[in-house]
């Protein structure tokens, strides 16, 4: 129904649960974590699997899960939010919004092959969807601030989920950068490439480094481009950057030439 309240579970950053316009507190930590876990799954989750993640060493994991589900249901504003049967547990997404589910659905939609061509601009609606998806993140980590938990399996799940979500997040930023380069907004592209470099902890996006050098070159910022390139030279000898080593070195030669010709004068229109 229009205007019907929904439970919102936000995990892209500091976790936040709201009901309508009001923050909802789930006091019990385990119950809260179960809700977070379920809000990352579109489909029902097997009780056995939940037990292995939350109580891997317990002989009574099924009973513990039953107890915590009962407490969680009591703390939710609508008992129909939680769906359970003998073997499966999930959330009723008619009553729940999950930013993780929305983000991953959007990523799947905008990652179709015909939209992933770096040499083509994006349709305006798709570009806006990618922008909206990227800005869903309120901090650069999934479940930011949760800390180390008692279950090693749960810690590993959070770490792996964080890695996968951040890859999608940075990949969307890269596509934004490529689109802005194609439409001539080089300053905008540079902003997004800087954000990728700041957050690419796992060195998954060597292309962003090359594109940053290319954008600085196109902006006529030869001095800044040269300084940036020199700081990256050592990286080009590593395996993760091998694909871009030759084009990087070729572009650096062009930058050196322009730098010498202009006496390192920057384009007055460049920032």
């Amino acid at each position: 129904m229009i205007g019907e309240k929904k439970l919102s579970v936000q995990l892209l950053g500091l976790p936040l649960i709201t009901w309508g316009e009001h923050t909802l507190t789930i006091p019990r930590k385990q119950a809260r974590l179960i809700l977070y876990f379920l809000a990352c799954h579109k489909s029902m989750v097997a009780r056995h699997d939940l037990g292995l993640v939350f109580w891997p060493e317990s002989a009574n994991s099924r009973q513990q899960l039953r107890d915590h589900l009962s407490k969680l249901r009591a703390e939710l504003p609508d008992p129909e939010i939680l769906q359970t049967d003998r073997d499966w547990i999930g959330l009723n997404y008619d009553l729940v919004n999950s930013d993780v589910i929305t983000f991953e659905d959007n990523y799947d939609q905008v990652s179709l092959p015909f939209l992933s061509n770096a040499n083509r601009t994006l349709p305006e609606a798709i570009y806006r969807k990618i922008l909206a998806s990227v800005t869903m993140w309120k901090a650069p980590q999934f479940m930011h601030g949760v800390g180390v938990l008692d279950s090693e399996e749960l810690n590993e799940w959070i770490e792996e989920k964080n890695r996968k979500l951040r890859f999608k997040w940075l990949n969307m930023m890269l596509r934004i950068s490529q689109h802005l380069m194609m439409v001539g907004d080089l300053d905008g592209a540079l902003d997004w490439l800087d954000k990728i470099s700041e957050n690419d902890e796992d060195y998954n996006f060597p292309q962003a480094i090359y594109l940053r050098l290319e954008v600085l070159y196109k902006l006529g910022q030869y001095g800044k481009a040269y300084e940036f390139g020199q700081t990256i030279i050592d990286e080009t000898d590593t395996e993760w950057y091998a694909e871009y080593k030759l084009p990087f070195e070729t572009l650096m030669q062009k930058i050196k030439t322009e730098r010498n010709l202009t006496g390192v004068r920057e384009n007055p229109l460049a920032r």
Side-chain angles (χ1 to χ4, degrees), residues 17 20 100 106 109-110 131 141 148 163 178 191 196 206 216:
I17 307 168
V100 170
N106 287 351
Q109 292 172 27
V110 303
L131 274 179
Q141 300 290 330
V148 179
R163 186 188 65 78
Q178 293 165 335
D191 285 338
I196 296 171
L216 289 171

Side-chain angles (χ1 to χ4, degrees), residues 41-205:
H41 294 81
K42 291 178 69 174
S43 303
M44 302 278 275
V45 180
R47 287 177 180 264
H48 175 73
D49 292 341
L50 265 172
L52 290 177
V53 171
F54 281 83
W55 304 280
E57 305 298 329
S58 174
N60 299 310
S61 62
R62 195 173 182 90
Q63 180 60 49
Q64 288 180 281
L65 177 59
R66 187 181 302 115
D67 292 344
H68 284 291
L69 287 174
S70 177
K71 293 171 183 175
L72 174 59
R73 193 187 298 276
E75 292 168 351
L76 292 172
D78 186 335
E80 296 300 316
I81 287 172
L82 194 61
Q83 296 184 320
T84 61
D85 63 22
R86 178 178 176 81
D87 296 312
W88 301 90
I89 306 163
L91 298 180
N92 179 357
Y93 284 105
D94 290 334
L95 300 174
V96 177
N97 286 325
S98 163
D99 63 349
V100 170
I101 298 297
T102 300
F103 175 80
E104 293 194 299
D105 281 349
N106 287 351
Y107 181 84
D108 290 342
Q109 292 172 27
V110 303
S111 298
L112 296 172
F114 77 97
L115 296 173
S116 301
N117 187 340
N119 297 316
R120 293 179 58 181
T121 58
L122 292 164
E124 184 64 19
I126 297 298
Y127 175 64
R128 294 296 171 191
K129 176 169 282 193
I130 295 176
L131 274 179
S133 300
V134 167
T135 55
M136 288 173 67
W137 289 69
K138 307 307 180 188
Q141 300 290 330
F142 165 68
M143 289 178 60
H144 178 72
V146 167
V148 179
L149 304 172
D150 293 336
S151 167
E152 185 60 33
E153 283 73 9
L154 185 54
N155 287 321
E156 290 176 359
W157 173 78
I158 293 173
E159 181 178 349
E160 180 64 9
K161 190 67 177 177
N162 180 60
R163 186 188 65 78
K164 291 179 178 179
L165 286 170
R166 280 175 55 84
F167 179 86
K168 295 177 180 180
W169 182 48
L170 295 175
N171 200 31
M172 282 186 171
M173 289 189 197
L174 182 63
R175 192 65 188 94
I176 291 172
S177 304
Q178 293 165 335
H179 171 80
L180 292 176
M181 289 179 69
M182 290 298 297
V183 300
D185 184 359
L186 297 178
D187 286 316
L190 187 59
D191 285 338
W192 285 104
L193 291 168
D194 285 344
K195 290 177 183 177
I196 296 171
S197 296
E198 291 167 7
N199 288 281
D200 186 15
E201 299 171 352
D202 296 326
Y203 299 99
N204 286 318
F205 294 90

